Amino acid sequence: MSQTLTIVILILASLAGTGLIGYALMQSSRRQAALRDVVTNRGWRYDRQEGSGGRARATTISDPEAGWRMEIKLNSATDGSGRTKRSTTWHAPDAGIAEGLAILGPALTPAEARKAETMLGKLGGGMGGFLMSSMFGDLGSEAARLESVDVPGARCLMMATPEAREALTPIASHPIMDGTEDSLPRGALPVIRRSPKGLEISLRTALSRPEQVLALAELGAAIQRELRPG
């Protein structure tokens, strides 16, 4: 292969790569514009903090009247791997409990739930907390006190500290938990937690499609209503 032909091939490959990057950025910009329109049409607030290359580092959506806030984040890894950490969190500060922690996560069999509880007891807040955080995110100092909670008809795993065993039981077996696999990205099942900090739903992905953002907002608002006293 001649040197000239090699140079031509490299130039064409570079142009193709640049074109793909430009197309991806254009698609991302269109999705963000569609999301902004949907959000503002609902009377919610929309804020976007730009990152490098025009990509959004953080998008914040909130409904001041209902008292919830959603943060969609993309953070570049600091370990040199080049990976991007993605997350979406819906949070209602006024829907918390006085003390303790309760979490709902991906369904486990009763045997798997007991095994997780045993592991926490044996490993304590160190390694046990690390293993649980890989499933449920940072649980803080309460991780070592979590126990599995058996809720008849539960559609997901529930764990709680002794004083918070009833904090999420109305939701564990509620039909509202059905259909999240269809409305949210595959493999991004929500983890729900309730503590003195409020009610929180977290996903390990950055939602970008308007219909998915709306689905998470509606899920959070519905849970918030179900847990409201009276």
Side-chain angles (χ1 to χ4, degrees):
M1 184 181 295
S2 68
Q3 183 178 4
T4 301
L5 181 58
T6 301
I7 293 174
V8 170
I9 291 174
L10 290 175
I11 291 174
L12 289 175
S14 176
L15 290 174
T18 302
L20 289 174
I21 293 173
Y23 177 76
L25 289 174
M26 182 176 65
Q27 289 293 93
S28 175
S29 178
R30 287 177 176 174
R31 283 197 297 268
Q32 285 293 330
L35 176 58
R36 182 182 63 249
D37 290 344
V38 168
V39 167
T40 54
N41 286 340
R42 295 229 170 181
W44 300 342
R45 292 181 181 175
Y46 176 95
D47 180 67
R48 173 173 168 160
Q49 294 180 354
E50 295 288 347
S52 60
R55 297 187 66 186
R57 290 290 183 183
T59 300
T60 303
I61 299 166
S62 62
D63 183 350
E65 184 177 344
W68 60 260
R69 175 187 180 95
M70 187 188 304
E71 291 186 331
I72 305 169
K73 295 182 178 180
L74 292 91
N75 296 320
S76 299
T78 57
D79 57 4
S81 64
R83 294 190 299 269
T84 300
K85 182 179 179 181
R86 297 171 169 84
S87 66
T88 302
T89 303
W90 180 97
H91 183 217
D94 64 349
I97 52 179
E99 57 181 334
L101 171 67
I103 57 175
L104 289 175
L108 296 179
T109 65
E112 290 172 332
R114 286 193 295 271
K115 187 177 295 184
E117 182 181 345
T118 301
M119 186 177 296
L120 279 174
K122 289 182 177 179
L123 298 179
M127 183 60 71
F130 172 78
L131 293 174
M132 290 299 289
S133 67
S134 67
M135 292 177 61
F136 301 111
D138 183 21
L139 300 176
S141 60
E142 300 285 24
R145 299 201 304 122
L146 288 170
E147 303 171 350
S148 61
V149 179
D150 183 20
V151 181
R155 291 164 165 79
C156 45
L157 167 69
M158 178 172 174
M159 302 189 78
T161 56
E163 68 275 21
R165 292 179 64 86
E166 304 297 324
L168 287 173
T169 51
I171 300 302
S173 58
H174 197 283
I176 196 175
M177 298 303 298
D178 292 338
T180 55
E181 293 185 12
D182 298 327
S183 58
L184 296 174
R186 185 179 299 276
L189 297 178
V191 171
I192 302 169
R193 70 180 72 192
R194 198 179 186 197
S195 71
K197 295 180 180 180
L199 175 67
E200 180 180 292
I201 307 174
S202 59
L203 302 173
R204 292 191 174 184
T205 187
L207 299 182
S208 60
R209 299 183 182 278
E211 65 271 18
Q212 294 173 345
V213 169
L214 290 178
L216 180 58
E218 290 168 2
L219 175 64
I223 293 175
Q224 189 179 15
R225 287 193 300 270
E226 287 297 320
L227 296 177
R228 188 172 292 134

